[in-house]
């Protein structure tokens, strides 16, 4: 997105979780007696790709000038997938909103992931800082 390689965002969404929050969850699970023998889901807030693009534009300003905030219609993505095999894998996710809960980790371990918007902007800043975008 940051390099301008995406001319628009397909209507797919992600449950974005910061790797730092996953590390925190793992440490809490390893050190809490309440976690013994338990499994915990470590995921974050659901956010659409177009919303990630908008958050990047707002949060990074001129550094995200190449990010397209246009959302591509599902039919366009499906047709494009006939010619671009890399798009085929995402067509099943078009318009689909995943719903997972981290209530168990929040309740037993006191874990709370940071907002998806914050994670997206900080990830973008890191990519820019390291010369990847």
């Amino acid at each position: 997105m940051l390099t301008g390689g995406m001319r628009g965002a397909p209507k797919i969404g992600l449950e974005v979780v910061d790797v730092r929050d996953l590390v925190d969850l793992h440490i809490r699970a390893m050190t809490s007696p309440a976690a013994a023998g338990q499994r915990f889901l470590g995921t974050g807030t659901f956010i659409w790709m177009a919303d990630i693009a908008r958050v990047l534009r707002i949060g990074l300003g001129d550094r995200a000038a190449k990010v397209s905030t246009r959302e591509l219609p599902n039919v366009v993505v499906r047709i494009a997938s006939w010619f671009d095999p890399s798009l085929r894998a995402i067509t099943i996710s078009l318009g689909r909103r995943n719903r997972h809960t981290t209530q168990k980790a929040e309740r037993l371990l006191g874990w709370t992931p940071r907002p998806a918007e914050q994670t997206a902007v900080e990830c973008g800043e890191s990519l820019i800082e390291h010369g990847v975008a």
Side-chain angles (χ1 to χ4, degrees):
M1 288 181 130
L2 290 172
T3 62
M6 291 180 65
R7 304 274 176 147
K11 187 161 178 73
I12 60 171
L14 308 165
E15 291 175 300
V16 174
V17 65
D18 195 300
V19 67
R20 296 169 293 183
D21 293 329
L22 290 176
V23 169
D24 179 44
L25 177 59
H26 278 89
I27 291 170
R28 288 172 186 258
M30 288 188 300
T31 59
S32 171
Q38 301 287 322
R39 291 180 184 218
F40 298 93
L41 184 58
T43 188
T45 310
F46 180 90
I47 187 170
W48 295 106
M49 292 275 300
D51 293 329
I52 292 172
R54 285 187 277 279
V55 166
L56 289 172
R57 291 289 294 269
I58 293 166
L60 299 175
D62 291 342
R63 297 177 294 167
K66 295 180 182 178
V67 175
S68 173
T69 58
R70 178 179 51 173
E71 186 169 83
L72 301 172
N74 291 347
V75 67
V76 170
V77 176
R78 289 186 196 284
I79 291 169
S81 74
W82 298 342
F83 306 99
D84 183 350
S86 69
L87 294 175
R88 290 184 191 141
I90 69 164
T91 58
I92 194 168
S93 299
L94 291 171
R96 184 176 176 180
R97 183 181 183 102
N98 294 323
R99 293 191 175 122
H100 297 97
T101 180
T102 58
Q103 288 179 357
K104 183 178 176 183
E106 293 169 20
R107 185 180 69 252
L108 292 179
L109 303 176
W111 180 74
T112 304
R114 58 196 92 207
E117 296 83 2
Q118 177 184 348
T119 298
V121 170
E122 290 177 0
C123 179
E125 288 172 340
S126 178
L127 290 169
I128 291 167
E129 180 182 320
H130 288 90
V132 178

